[in-house]
Amino acid sequence: MGIDPETDDVMGRPPRRANERAIDARMWRGVIAIGLVMALATLLTIDLYLPGGLIEGSQSLDQARTAGFTVLVLAQLFNCFNARSETTSAFRHLFTNRWLWAAIGLSILLQVAVVNFGPLNEAFGTVPLPLEQWLVCVAIGSSVLWSGEVRKSVLRRWGR
């Protein structure tokens, strides 16, 4: 992300004072909020597949753990788009950084391998997931992106 083009408003903002923190209170609130969304998404996924709990699931513990792990990885990848700017939508200039897309593509391939390749299943304690579970994992993992977009919209609206 260090080679992303500048955001549209970079020259419109005053420079940060030398005594200001690089990570201010607003940024910490964002980090905590996204962390909570990731944690809730991961735990919700595990609960979704396990018997009992808030949502009655019917899968094995191994499938629930693998799905939770997959959601956590995908949430991190979706968060790459949020992290590009604190206020600009993740969908603005979405395809300008081919290196970011290459890194995300490689990460997805590695995740698919860890979940679906036998020797890596053994090494990582994962089990293969069927396509419908992958789709659920993508949908739940993307909640990080959508919550980030809502936060950015609020920040833009109230100028904070």
Side-chain angles (χ1 to χ4, degrees), residues 19-132:
N19 64 344
E20 278 185 59
R21 295 175 181 250
I23 301 176
D24 60 5
R26 180 173 86 173
M27 191 178 291
W28 274 116
R29 285 190 299 271
V31 168
I32 291 167
I34 291 298
L36 286 172
V37 171
M38 284 185 195
L40 288 172
T42 302
L43 293 172
L44 175 72
T45 303
I46 293 169
D47 186 61
L48 177 68
Y49 289 112
L50 282 178
L54 296 174
I55 304 166
E56 186 62 36
S58 61
Q59 304 298 324
S60 69
L61 177 59
D62 288 337
Q63 279 191 304
R65 278 194 295 224
T66 300
F69 170 57
T70 300
V71 164
L72 185 59
V73 168
L74 293 173
Q76 290 290 339
L77 295 177
F78 278 112
N79 194 46
C80 288
F81 298 110
N82 281 336
R84 294 170 71 214
S85 170
E86 194 172 7
T87 56
T88 302
S89 171
F91 298 102
R92 187 166 180 103
H93 305 298
L94 186 60
F95 299 104
T96 56
N97 187 341
R98 68 175 186 242
W99 294 106
L100 176 61
W101 281 99
I104 290 171
L106 178 61
S107 298
I108 291 170
L109 284 174
L110 291 171
Q111 182 65 21
V112 169
V114 164
V115 171
N116 290 318
F117 184 57
L120 292 177
N121 287 150
E122 189 69 31
F124 286 91
T126 58
V127 296
L129 297 176
L131 179 60
E132 58 271 4

